[in-house]
Amino acid sequence: MTQPLKRERRTTWLLLAGLWGLLLLLAVWRPLALPDEGRYAEVGRWMLMSGDWLVPRLNGIPFFHKPPLLHWLQALSFATFGVSAWSARLVPAVHAGIMLAALYLAARTTTTEAVARRAALMLGTSLAFLLGGQYVNHDMLVASWIGVTIWAFALSFMQGDRPHASLARLGFVACALGVLSKGLIGLALPGLVLLCWLIWTRQLGKIVRLPWPSGLALFALITVPWFAVVQSRYPGFMDYLFGTQQFSRFTGSTFNNVRPWWFYLPVVALLVFPWSLFALHQARGGARRATADVSARAPKVVALCWLWIAVIVGFFSIPHSKLVGYVLPVAPPLALLAALGWQHCFAERRAAQVAFAVVCGLLLIGSGALSEAVGRHSRRVGTQDIATTLACQANPTDTVYATGDYPYDLPFYTQATQPMVVVQDWPELRRTAGDSWRRELFEGVNFEPLAGQVLQTPDVLLKAALEPGSWLVAPRSVASAELGAGWVIVDRGNARDLYRSAPERPIAAEDKGLPGCDHQGRQQRHQ
């Protein structure tokens, strides 16, 4: 490797590190978004607090909607950096960094340093990276591992007649981590993409030469233990996770977020906008010229990228339920195609380099503004405003009731040490509830009936109002008269009000407070 190339690569890594640092900075600014960030951050916090690393729990109830990798890593992050929205977002941010690094390494192996750097910068300045990479859910994790799986196997197959064994084993490991991130799509999507690509490029015969024994052993070592142990403890778990939450959600029409079949076409364009316009140029005729002076491998890589996008967008366009995060795995190939399209349009023209830098700067500013707008909305609908009051005035043994809806973020902010009592007409909801937070709670109780003690009917509020040490959180739309006599308003938030029971139990100031009571709240409490 020449000295100039070493300097170029060092510069690229510094630029990518700067983009990842900006992502971490954006992750500090805003409170948890509801419902996803409140839900998943709290599952990770509860795992750390309870010491139960086997069973993910929401409000103390088993939560088997997804496999546990996100929750494990968040619990580790909380143990290392403390419980905060930022440490919750560190997990998807790390995976966004893995996605960025994998794209750069794969692109420079198959194209040139200039194209690889531009592809990585296009991805690193996109909404997919700067916003998707700081959002707490499973999507960035599975997108990252799907990407690593596809790159590793594709590069393995491009080494010659016999696939590169170490790269293939890396692919098996990444595939296993994808399954632990979000289930079967971590296996099905990269497998389908690679199968279509091998057929298209006439390399299908190489499959038999993969290191199957060692690869499958690695895959099983990573994936099988957790599923096997949970299934042995909770019969019906596998059917619920893979049958109800994955297969039925894919084929059914009764789940939330129903969107038309074309929903992902504009979404994909926006994920890496405006760079995605250059990918369209690459598709419209610049393909041969854009790759002719790049690398002998580039045509195969271009075919891989287009098939990657088509297979994943087509796959997720089939179900009625659609969410933006589902197609995050297409961001890396889209960025590489865009970089090749740019290469054809502008090559290394100086004016184009200046324009590229200006657009990158505008995108960074825009991402910061959009992140702030999301934060303002989260403050309007979240419970951060009343959480400090509750955390600093409640006793750890007090009981918190929630009615009207489920305040996902409240236990995270207060760092509650026991579940809330969620008040609804549960017998009726078991017959009529659709795809909602209510269903995810009472379906969890099916696995562990004793956990159902935290799901109570409205009549419990009449008694709780007369007992000291009771707190109630209700939406602003619920009038105090509807709650029954005995509840005293303590704090009015933007979206919810906080009440306590009328008979206040005398507690010494030093005994009050949940772990989430911050320094400012403690000062206010003693004033």
Side-chain angles (χ1 to χ4, degrees):
M1 184 188 304
T2 63
Q3 197 63 31
L5 182 56
K6 287 183 179 180
R7 285 197 297 268
E8 286 185 27
R9 290 186 173 182
R10 189 182 304 115
T11 300
T12 300
W13 284 117
L14 289 174
L15 290 171
L16 300 188
L19 288 172
W20 191 66
L22 176 62
L23 173 61
L24 295 181
L25 181 62
L26 290 175
V28 176
W29 286 357
R30 58 184 180 84
L32 295 173
L34 299 178
D36 280 1
E37 290 198 305
R39 176 195 294 118
Y40 295 121
E42 173 58 13
V43 173
R45 185 195 73 88
W46 191 275
M47 181 172 281
L48 175 65
M49 183 199 70
S50 66
D52 181 1
W53 292 70
L54 178 68
V55 181
R57 294 179 183 273
L58 179 64
N59 201 44
I61 299 171
F63 184 70
F64 291 138
H65 282 216
K66 303 291 188 299
L69 184 60
L70 171 67
H71 314 312
W72 286 342
L73 295 178
Q74 282 193 318
L76 288 172
S77 180
F78 294 148
T80 305
F81 301 104
V83 176
S84 69
W86 180 84
S87 53
R89 294 185 181 122
L90 182 61
V91 176
V94 166
H95 283 79
I98 292 172
M99 175 188 282
L100 191 65
L103 169 63
Y104 169 62
L105 292 172
R108 85 180 192 188
T109 301
T110 54
T111 60
T112 66
E113 175 64 26
V115 171
R117 176 190 293 181
R118 185 164 289 112
L121 291 177
M122 286 176 168
L123 177 61
T125 55
S126 69
L127 294 178
F129 180 81
L130 291 174
L131 293 187
Q134 54 155 310
Y135 193 76
V136 182
N137 65 11
H138 301 263
D139 292 337
M140 181 53 75
L141 275 69
V142 73
S144 172
W145 294 121
I146 285 174
V148 174
T149 302
I150 294 174
W151 291 128
F153 276 114
L155 292 174
S156 172
F157 285 121
M158 284 191 282
Q159 297 300 311
D161 293 336
R162 181 175 294 277
H164 190 283
S166 295
L167 284 172
R169 292 187 187 101
L170 173 61
F172 280 107
V173 169
C175 187
L177 292 172
V179 171
L180 273 183
S181 296
K182 208 174 179 181
L184 291 178
I185 63 168
L187 171 63
L189 289 183
L192 188 56
V193 170
L194 289 163
L195 179 62
C196 292
W197 177 69
L198 290 172
I199 294 172
W200 184 270
T201 56
R202 300 179 181 179
Q203 302 181 84
L204 190 59
K206 295 180 181 180
I207 285 183
V208 297
R209 297 184 177 180
L210 286 172
W212 286 107
S214 58
L216 290 176
L218 287 169
F219 181 87
L221 184 64
I222 294 170
T223 58
V224 170
W226 182 77
F227 292 105
V229 173
V230 176
Q231 174 65 24
S232 67
R233 180 178 296 187
Y234 298 96
F237 153 73
M238 298 279 275
D239 179 65
Y240 179 74
L241 175 60
F242 294 122
T244 302
Q245 291 302 318
Q246 302 203 345
F247 183 77
S248 295
R249 188 171 288 272
F250 185 82
T251 58
S253 58
T254 59
F255 293 93
N256 288 334
N257 309 301
V258 174
R259 299 288 186 268
W261 67 267
W262 49 262
F263 174 73
Y264 285 122
L265 299 180
V267 167
V268 168
L270 289 172
L271 281 178
V272 193
F273 187 81
W275 312 122
S276 51
L277 299 176
F278 292 96
L280 291 177
H281 172 77
Q282 198 278 341
R284 289 178 58 187
R288 182 174 299 176
R289 286 170 289 177
T291 60
D293 61 341
V294 173
S295 168
R297 295 176 175 176
K300 287 184 178 180
V301 174
V302 169
L304 173 67
C305 290
W306 281 118
L307 287 168
W308 186 337
I309 295 169
V311 167
I312 290 180
V313 172
F315 181 89
F316 284 119
S317 295
I318 295 172
H320 295 273
S321 179
K322 299 178 179 69
L323 290 172
V324 172
Y326 290 174
V327 289
L328 277 176
V330 308
L334 189 60
L336 181 51
L337 291 170
L340 290 169
W342 178 284
Q343 178 79 6
H344 169 64
C345 289
F346 301 116
E348 299 300 324
R349 298 176 189 174
R350 181 165 181 78
Q353 301 302 312
V354 174
F356 184 84
V358 170
V359 174
C360 286
L362 292 174
L363 288 172
L364 297 181
I365 294 170
S367 296
L370 187 56
S371 184
E372 175 60 23
V374 172
R376 289 181 181 180
H377 174 73
S378 298
R379 292 183 187 94
R380 288 195 299 270
V381 301
T383 65
Q384 193 176 30
D385 46 7
I386 65 171
T388 298
T389 301
L390 177 60
C392 293
Q393 295 190 18
N395 183 280
T397 60
D398 288 351
T399 303
V400 179
Y401 296 82
T403 188
D405 62 8
Y406 184 72
Y408 281 103
D409 55 343
L410 183 62
F412 183 85
Y413 288 132
T414 63
Q415 297 186 39
T417 55
Q418 59 181 347
M420 290 185 294
V421 175
V422 186
V423 178
Q424 298 281 302
D425 186 355
W426 294 108
E428 176 64 19
L429 289 171
R430 280 187 172 272
R431 294 191 295 269
T432 62
D435 183 25
S436 68
W437 62 267
R438 297 168 178 87
R439 177 168 293 278
E440 68 187 24
L441 290 179
F442 68 68
E443 285 186 344
V445 171
N446 294 340
F447 291 99
E448 201 170 277
L450 288 177
Q453 295 176 354
V454 301
L455 306 183
Q456 297 289 333
T457 51
D459 56 282
V460 74
L461 294 180
L462 298 175
K463 181 180 178 182
L466 304 177
E467 296 177 347
S470 298
W471 299 83
L472 175 62
V473 179
R476 294 295 304 271
S477 58
V478 177
S480 57
E482 299 178 41
L483 304 174
W487 292 106
V488 179
I489 187 74
V490 176
D491 195 1
R492 293 190 180 276
N494 292 321
R496 294 172 181 81
D497 294 331
L498 175 65
Y499 301 82
R500 65 166 175 82
S501 53
E504 187 173 8
R505 179 168 53 198
I507 303 174
E510 59 272 14
D511 295 329
K512 280 188 179 180
L514 302 175
C517 181
D518 59 22
H519 179 67
Q520 180 180 359
R522 290 187 183 277
Q523 286 183 326
Q524 293 174 350
R525 187 188 68 192
H526 288 291
Q527 289 176 351

